[in-house]
């Protein structure tokens, strides 16, 4: 069973002949026409389709005859050519994050954070930024199917009416959801059938956390951390900065105390206890390197050291460990301003212990509050899922309804969900693609295309409890359904529009205001009062936890693909991993010492040898399964341990995600899904890995300038002082130059940028945001392996310290520096790259003939070349190019083969802002400070990027450039970059120094 | 021995020398002229699905440009009117004229009318109507006497050089902002002072760097 | 046992040749029927030429991505080959112009085909700047042509200087070559049997009759062109070297490049002349004209320029250390010990060590040694360009963007193809034109010296 690509029109003329289209236009008004009043018709996709074709940016070749296709009925508040912004929210793992979506003529093209939303505050993470591409994924399923037969919506409604009768025993399997409407319908369901079960299945959800708090407090509670209130933070395997339901808020709060702007400012201290190097680990001031199975033990030792309830006299391998002792002292010293967290994938006992520790630190109510979740089931959902699988297999149910989720792929090896499916008479699977589960449905099973959040009505609660309504930006492509629409059809036997369902839930609320703001003002979870009751139980559970003595394998959710749900998203597949910089693959991550055991030398002993083209491989035997993976050395990884990521090796993800990497789920067990003891042997095969940064060391060059907080206080301008610029100085105080000065001091504005390396976490959201904003193509593994990645802003990663011990990691985002004396400009023979009056280093695509001289001469190597006609394969030749074209930003030209491209500080935004300002003021060309943001700056969850007019002495960016931490990269070349950096600081505990 | 070449062949080298000079010059000017926008673009007047007459609507009836091209003051594009806009009048006027059959069909079915683009800048040139109209560059300056065109035709070359001519010296093409849609506006004798005044008041400094239009 | 203190210089032409025998020795070649080996060689060259056209066609179709170039190495074999061929193109004009001004009689034996080699090499070189750009169909934007965009090329760009330098060099070399050919065209015109051939040769002979005034004009013109060509010989590779020297990349950003490149160019050019000369004199039995003395003289030039290049190599390292620039130092340490060390040491061996053999007279006069070393030198000079272009780019300022460049089969096929182009031209030249400047050789023969009979009186 596979998607049939051509059920969708290919051109306007065909569109006119398209049946779907006829049906729609024959109706007097399109669906939900009653909503024309609140401008619903703006989202009427079919009528604006034409406009979007005329607008999608295109390459340097002019067509003989261009058509203009106007609206037939002009939608309200659309000014043709100007983008509109609407608030909505993106659901993910049971929480929603408030977003503002930019739409061009009804096409959502870009998402930004909603500044009004407490869990976004204007920030986003990589999954938010990449989500627009998912909407326009041509591999999405194109319609309802039963077995291999296409079915209509009416067929499905009829099936529901006949099947879901009151006498039936029905099982429901859904992703974690905080949707008020969904849960309203869920309650109706509960009473409706003879027997019904509802299981929430999230392979990497927060169930363990809830079970842990249940163990501690007697009821499931969600711990909400307040990182901004904590002076000392200790994370036990908790990668809270990696994209997740709460990561944006976490990054914002952590960054708050890391923006050290003067020697008076303080800075929090972050300890991370982990096995693999994670994003959070790279930001740690102290990183304690232990095997995954030892994290719990380290925590219990800490609990004992702090005298947490239930751990009196508890001893284990870490009792008396120096690092833990110092950590304990530091935490206690913070009196109340301390916070301990643990990774959601850690077993419940760990979270229970964390609760005990935080209680012992009297952090509860200060740095951590607990929330009672309105929609959480009391039962253990992990266990419930296993039970359900067994019951299904035993034929105890007449029907199964799966709202999203892909259990056939994500379930652990010991749970044979596929077999269970075949034993159910009637199965309904709501899924965006014909994924592994849909493909495994029995021949009479129903697949219903699932709506993307940008094309559906819905609602939900944020991680901290802010209530939002999800409003569609566009009518469902491919007639997709939302969860609530399916549920209501099951309940009523006929389809009700998502809008009406949501509206029912929200009756009595200030509907239009909520739609406008993107959330219901002032809503959040009240802090629940908790009392630690389960001390004894925690102790018992803790001491029952297994440990692994020999080699162990840890199974972690991939930071980009999670459980594989985003595997068909090219932007995420091609986003380099924050630590390894690997794209398009998962590998066996291990420390240099461990790798040496398999005959891998790191770093390569003989530099005389040309680098090997392919990586050595290792066969990992775990739980009776064998995983053959490429060996990848991560300095700082725990020894005698291997980490592998889930979400790869999908077979029904789509053309992008199929066959990428290795599926490790079969080797996991539901009893211990996180880690298992294993054996591994080097095998003869090798495997090509596309990594965008092979070199791990900074070679002692002053690229990322770092100091300890105390060092900074002694010598605040240490960064600028690290390099002496040679040569004579001119009257302007600048080193003299052979070339014409490229600055126009009389012309305002003068754009400039500053990047705070202390606030930057290295998450990589800037890269995706830039890709979405600037129509940057995805080029695939083969080309990335060749080193032809196209990202305009990359995040460099360097290891410092002893690579065989516990080295530190630093990140550095590198966009185009827009040098005032740009080396690239001097050498272009056709003047395709020149300087603009407002200080930009311009790249004129249509003038470029592609000598690549500019890229050669760029000291930062930020220029990217279209070696092939990269967009062609998916924008022109791909099936349904119109669909993918709709993701394009019409303000940015799509670059043709043989053309150089690079970061332009989002010049399309700057120009729009300048014209808007002129129109508004009548005479000013200079947008007010802060009104124009670059895509990377706007997306950054920790506000590490400052951008603005440096001719304005009071603008934020000018003030940051005056800061003592400010320095210029490669200043000694006298190229005068417009992008500068604020030096990185760390706040080590002197007791450990 | 016998002469290999006739006597006139002595002149051949000289002729070649002179001829080649003329030839090369000719080639250059051939491409210069026949490759130019003035030759290729100006006068492009494609047939439209509905033969709508600007001479009638804009000229005789004197409908303001902005009635149909509504977004010209607030957006990069002037926008082609929606069927709705036409129907505002043609719901009553000339309801059953065969010329308007397509219009009414579009109104009933909702199928958009596919007009042919006349002024077709390449996608890499971002022209913004509002930026020009709001500082007093008249429609006429680029589009010519639309009010005299039965079928709309491209009046100006719209080549980069043509744009730059005005960006380097905007004065001659500036007029009071309330006159931008006027057709056949005659520059007053004090146009120079007028332009200088507008330039000062509107702080006009037309950009001539690449990123102003190409990005 | 002569009393005379006067030892006459070794005659440049061996064997008891008269003017007439010299004429027939050379001019017979185009007149005799084509030898079999020529057809075979020409066939092979044409196949290679086909390979060149095919790979260029595929390049047009697919884009520069078919080559191994990448970030950070934006220039690969295309530029390397360009510089290499231009370098080879140096010897010809140097021999004919500079040695002419220095009155080096021995040049006459080899200047004709050395110049031919120059022209064909430069043609091969000129292919690359044209095809290596991403949008080949717009390459003409590099020329200052009037256009509707009111856009001119960027005269700051060394790449632009390159276009002008190389094309000027080509034009002047061609002119110089042709002027030298005129009297010999006339000779052939008067000798050939077929009327058509006579007309063709006659056309190019421009009605040369060998009259006194014609000879005066000829000499004057030749002298002027020599004067004009001499600075070009030095300028062209100087400007090619600017492509690298003007940039900021460590390993490129060096003031030593101009002399270093010119020396290298002469080095490889003479090596190529040697290779071709040895083949030609064997095939066409020209040992009397291209004598061992000639070979020895050429080898001396190779030895000298080789050592100049070697000096430059060592100087680069000294400067890198002396400058105290971190990045410069690292760049050169990487050259000698980095991932491309194999290329560096190949270059060093071929260009610095191998010419040292020519310190020994035996080697200088050994045909075999000369032949092998001349080829070794050209391999070495190709690697020099590889080392400069690739290793500098592969590892520059930010270690994060370091990469490794390896060519694809299309890089190699294109390079191979240029040999097809070169030898197609060269074989046609050997076949249809006098490969030695008949008139000029006669001038350096003993008979040309009015007093040579007196000299004879000198001995017994």
């Amino acid at each position: 069973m596979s998607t049939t690509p051509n059920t969708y029109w290919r051109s306007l003329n065909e569109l006119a002949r398209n049946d779907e289209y006829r049906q729609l236009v024959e109706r007097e008004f399109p669906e939900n026409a009653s909503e024309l009043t609140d401008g619903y018709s703006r989202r009427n996709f079919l009528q604006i389709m034409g406009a979007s074709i005329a607008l999608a940016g295109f390459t340097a070749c002019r067509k003989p005859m261009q058509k203009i296709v106007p609206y037939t009925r002009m939608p309200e508040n659309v000014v043709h050519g100007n983008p509109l912004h609407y608030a909505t929210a993106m659901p993910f793992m049971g929480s929603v994050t408030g977003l503002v979506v930019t739409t061009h003529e009804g096409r959502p093209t870009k998402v930004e954070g909603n500044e009004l939303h407490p869990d976004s505050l204007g920030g986003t993470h990589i999954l938010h930024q990449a989500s627009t591409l998912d909407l326009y994924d041509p591999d999405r399923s194109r319609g309802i199917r039963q077995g291999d037969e296409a079915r209509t919506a009416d067929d499905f409604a009829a099936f529901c009416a006949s099947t879901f009768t009151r006498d039936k025993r029905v099982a429901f399997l859904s992703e974690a959801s905080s949707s008020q409407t969904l849960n309203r319908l869920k309650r109706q369901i509960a009473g409706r059938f003879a027997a019904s079960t509802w299981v929430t299945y999230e392979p990497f959800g927060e169930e363990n956390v809830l079970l842990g708090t249940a163990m501690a407090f007697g009821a499931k509670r969600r711990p909400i951390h307040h990182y901004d209130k904590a002076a000392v933070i200790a994370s036990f395997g908790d990668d809270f900065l990696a994209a997740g339901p709460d990561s944006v808020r976490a990054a914002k709060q952590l960054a708050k105390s890391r923006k050290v702007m003067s020697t008076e400012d303080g800075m929090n201290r972050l300890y991370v206890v982990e096995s693999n190097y994670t994003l959070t680990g790279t930001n740690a001031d102290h990183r304690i390197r232990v095997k995954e199975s030892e994290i719990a033990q380290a925590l219990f030792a800490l609990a004992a050291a702090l005298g947490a309830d239930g751990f009196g006299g508890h001893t284990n391998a870490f009792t008396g460990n120096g690092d833990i002792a110092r950590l304990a002292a530091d935490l206690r010293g913070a009196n109340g301003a301390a916070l301990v967290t643990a990774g959601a994938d850690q077993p419940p006992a760990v979270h229970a212990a964390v609760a005990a520790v935080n209680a012992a630190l009297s952090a509860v109510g200060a740095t951590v509050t607990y929330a009672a979740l309105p929609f959480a089931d009391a039962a253990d959902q992990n266990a419930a899922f296993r039970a359900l699988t067994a019951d299904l297999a035993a034929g105890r149910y007449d029907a199964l309804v799966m709202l999203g989720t892909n259990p056939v792929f994500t379930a652990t090896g010991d749970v044979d969900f596929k077999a269970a499916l075949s034993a159910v008479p009637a199965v309904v699977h709501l899924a965006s693609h014909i994924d592994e589960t849909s493909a495994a449905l029995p021949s009479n099973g129903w697949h219903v295309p699932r709506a993307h959040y940008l094309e559906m009505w819905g609602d939900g609660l944020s991680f901290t409890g802010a209530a939002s309504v999800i409003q569609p930006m566009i009518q469902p492509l491919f007639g997709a359904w939302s969860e609530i629409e399916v549920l209501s059809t099951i309940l009523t036997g006929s389809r009700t529009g998502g809008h009406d369902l949501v509206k029912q839930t929200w009756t009595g609320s200030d509907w239009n205001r909520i739609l406008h703001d993107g959330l219901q003002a002032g809503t959040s979870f009240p802090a629940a009062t908790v009392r630690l009751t389960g001390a004894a139980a925690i102790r018992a559970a803790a001491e029952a936890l297994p440990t692994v003595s020999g080699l162990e394998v840890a199974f972690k959710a991939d930071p980009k693909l999670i459980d594989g749900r985003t595997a068909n998203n090219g932007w995420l597949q091609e986003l380099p991993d924050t630590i390894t910089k690997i794209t398009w693959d998962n590998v066996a991550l291990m420390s240099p010492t461990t790798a040496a055991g398999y005959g891998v030398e790191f770093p390569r002993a003989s530099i005389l040898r040309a680098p090997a083209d392919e990586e050595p491989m290792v066969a990992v035997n775990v739980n009776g399964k064998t995983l053959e993976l490429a060996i990848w050395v991560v300095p700082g990884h725990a020894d005698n341990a291997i980490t592998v990521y889930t979400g790869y090796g999908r077979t029904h993800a789509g053309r992008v995600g199929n066959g990428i990497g290795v599926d490790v789920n079969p080797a996991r067990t539901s009893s211990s899904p996180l880690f298992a003891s294993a054996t591994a042997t080097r095998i003869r095969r090798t495997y090509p890995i596309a990594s965008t940064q092979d070199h791990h060391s900074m070679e002692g060059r002053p690229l990322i300038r770092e100091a300890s907080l105390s060092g900074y206080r002694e010598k605040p301008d240490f960064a600028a002082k690290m390099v002496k610029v040679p040569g004579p100085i001119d009257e302007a105080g600048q080193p003299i130059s052979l070339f014409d000065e490229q600055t126009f001091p009389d012309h305002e504005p003068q754009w400039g940028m500053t990047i705070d390396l202390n606030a930057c976490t290295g998450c990589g959201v800037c890269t995706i945001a830039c890709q979405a904003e600037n129509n940057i193509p995805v080029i695939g593994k083969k080309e990335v392996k060749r080193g032809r990645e196209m990202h305009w802003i990359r995040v460099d990663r360097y290891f410092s310290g002893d690579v065989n011990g516990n080295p530190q990691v630093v990140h550095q985002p590198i966009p185009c520096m827009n040098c005032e004396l740009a080396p690239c400009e001097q050498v272009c023979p056709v003047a395709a790259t020149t300087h603009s009056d407002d200080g930009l280093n311009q790249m004129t695509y249509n003038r470029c003939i592609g000598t690549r001289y500019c890229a050669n001469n760029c000291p930062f190597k930020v220029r990217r070349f279209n070696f092939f006609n990269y967009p062609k394969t998916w924008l022109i030749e791909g099936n349904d190019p119109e669909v993918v074209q709709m993701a394009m930003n019409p303000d940015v030209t799509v670059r043709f083969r043989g053309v150089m491209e690079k970061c332009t500080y989002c010049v399309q935004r700057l120009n729009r802002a300048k014209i808007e300002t002129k129109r508004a003021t009548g005479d000013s060309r200079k947008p007010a400070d802060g009104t124009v943001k670059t895509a990377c700056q706007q997306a950054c969850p920790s506000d590490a990027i400052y951008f603005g007019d440096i001719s304005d002495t009071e603008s934020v960016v000018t003030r940051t450039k005056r800061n003592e931490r400010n320095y210029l990269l490669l200043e000694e070349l006298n190229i005068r970059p417009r992008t500068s950096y604020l030096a990185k600081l760390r706040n080590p505990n002197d007791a450990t120094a | 021995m016998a002469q290999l070449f006739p006597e006139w062949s002595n002149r051949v080298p000289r002729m070649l020398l002179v001829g080649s000079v003329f030839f090369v010059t000719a080639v250059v000017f051939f491409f210069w002229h026949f490759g130019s926008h003035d030759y290729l673009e100006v006068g492009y007047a494609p047939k439209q699905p509905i033969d709508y007459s600007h001479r009638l609507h804009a000229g005789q009836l004197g409908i303001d440009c902005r009635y149909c091209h509504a977004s010209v003051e607030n957006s990069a594009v002037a926008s082609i009117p929606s069927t709705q806009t036409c129907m505002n009048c043609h719901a009553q006027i000339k309801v059953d004229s065969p010329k308007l059959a397509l219009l009414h069909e579009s109104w009933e079915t909702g199928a958009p009318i596919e007009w042919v683009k006349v002024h077709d800048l390449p996608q890499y040139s971002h022209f913004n109507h509002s930026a020009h109209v709001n500082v007093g560059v008249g429609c006429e300056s680029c589009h010519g006497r639309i009010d005299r065109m039965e079928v709309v035709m491209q009046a100006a070359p719209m080549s980069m050089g043509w744009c730059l001519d005005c960006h380097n010296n905007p004065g001659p093409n500036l007029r009071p902002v309330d006159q931008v849609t006027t057709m056949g506006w005659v520059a007053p004798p004090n146009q120079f002072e007028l332009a200088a005044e507008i330039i000062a008041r509107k702080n006009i400094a037309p950009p001539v760097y690449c990123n102003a239009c190409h990005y | 046992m002569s009393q005379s203190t006067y030892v006459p210089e070794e005659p440049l032409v061996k064997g008891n040749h008269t003017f007439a025998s010299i004429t027939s020795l050379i001019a017979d070649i185009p007149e005799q029927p084509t030898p079999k080996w020529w057809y075979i060689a020409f066939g092979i060259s044409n196949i290679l030429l086909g390979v060149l056209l095919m790979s260029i066609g595929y390049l047009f179709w697919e884009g520069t991505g078919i080559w191994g170039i990448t970030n950070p190495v934006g220039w690969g074999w295309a530029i390397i080959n360009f510089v290499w061929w231009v370098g080879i193109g140096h010897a010809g004009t140097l021999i004919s112009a500079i040695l002419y001004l220095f009155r080096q009689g021995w040049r006459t034996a080899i200047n004709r085909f050395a110049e031919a080699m120059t022209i064909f090499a430069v043609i091969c070189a000129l292919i690359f700047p044209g095809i290596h750009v991403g949008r080949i169909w717009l390459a003409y934007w590099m020329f200052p042509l009037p256009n509707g965009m009111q856009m001119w090329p960027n005269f700051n760009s060394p790449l632009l200087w390159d276009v002008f330098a190389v094309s000027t060099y080509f034009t002047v070399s061609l002119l110089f070559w042709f002027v030298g050919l005129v009297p010999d065209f006339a000779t052939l015109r008067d000798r050939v049997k077929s009327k058509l051939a006579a007309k063709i040769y006659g056309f190019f002979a421009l009605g040369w009759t060998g009259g006194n005034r014609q000879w005066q004009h000829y000499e004057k013109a030749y002298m002027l062109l020599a004067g004009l060509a001499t600075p070009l010989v030095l300028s062209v590779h100087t400007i090619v070297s600017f492509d690298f020297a003007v940039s900021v990349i460590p390993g490129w950003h060096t003031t030593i490049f101009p002399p270093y490149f010119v020396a290298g160019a002469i080095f490889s050019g003479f090596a190529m002349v040697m290779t071709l000369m040895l083949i030609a004199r064997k095939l066409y039995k020209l040992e009397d004209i291209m004598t061992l003395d000639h070979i020895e003289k050429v080898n001396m030039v190779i030895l000298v320029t080789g050592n100049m290049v070697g000096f430059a190599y060592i100087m680069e390292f000294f400067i890198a250390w002396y400058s105290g620039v971190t990045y410069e130092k690292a760049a050169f340490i990487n050259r000698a010990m980095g991932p491309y060390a194999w290329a560096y040491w190949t270059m060093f061996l071929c260009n610095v060590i191998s010419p040292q053999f020519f310190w020994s007279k035996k080697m200088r006069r050994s045909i075999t040694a000369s032949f092998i070393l001349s080829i070794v030198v050209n391999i070495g000079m190709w690697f020099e360009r590889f080392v400069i272009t690739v290793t500098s780019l592969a590892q520059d300022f930010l270690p994060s963007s370091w990469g490794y460049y390896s060519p694809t089969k299309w890089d190699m096929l294109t390079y191979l193809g240029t040999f097809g182009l070169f030898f197609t031209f060269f074989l046609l030249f050997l076949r249809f034109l006098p490969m030695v400047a008949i008139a000029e050789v006669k001038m350096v023969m003993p008979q040309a010296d009015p007093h040579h009979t007196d000299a004879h009186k000198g001995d017994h």
Side-chain angles (χ1 to χ4, degrees), chain C residues 41-63:
Chain C
F42 195 65
I44 298 168
S45 314
N46 278 293
I47 292 164
L48 292 182
L49 179 57
V51 170
L52 177 68
L53 298 176
M54 180 190 68
S55 31
I56 292 179
Y58 188 61
L59 179 75
F60 270 61
W61 186 253
E62 273 300 325

Side-chain angles (χ1 to χ4, degrees), chain B residues 119-135:
Chain B
H119 304 90
D120 184 17
L121 289 186
Q123 295 288 354
Y124 51 73
S125 307
H126 296 260
F127 176 82
N128 189 307
H129 276 89
S130 68
H132 293 79
V133 172
N134 290 323
V135 295

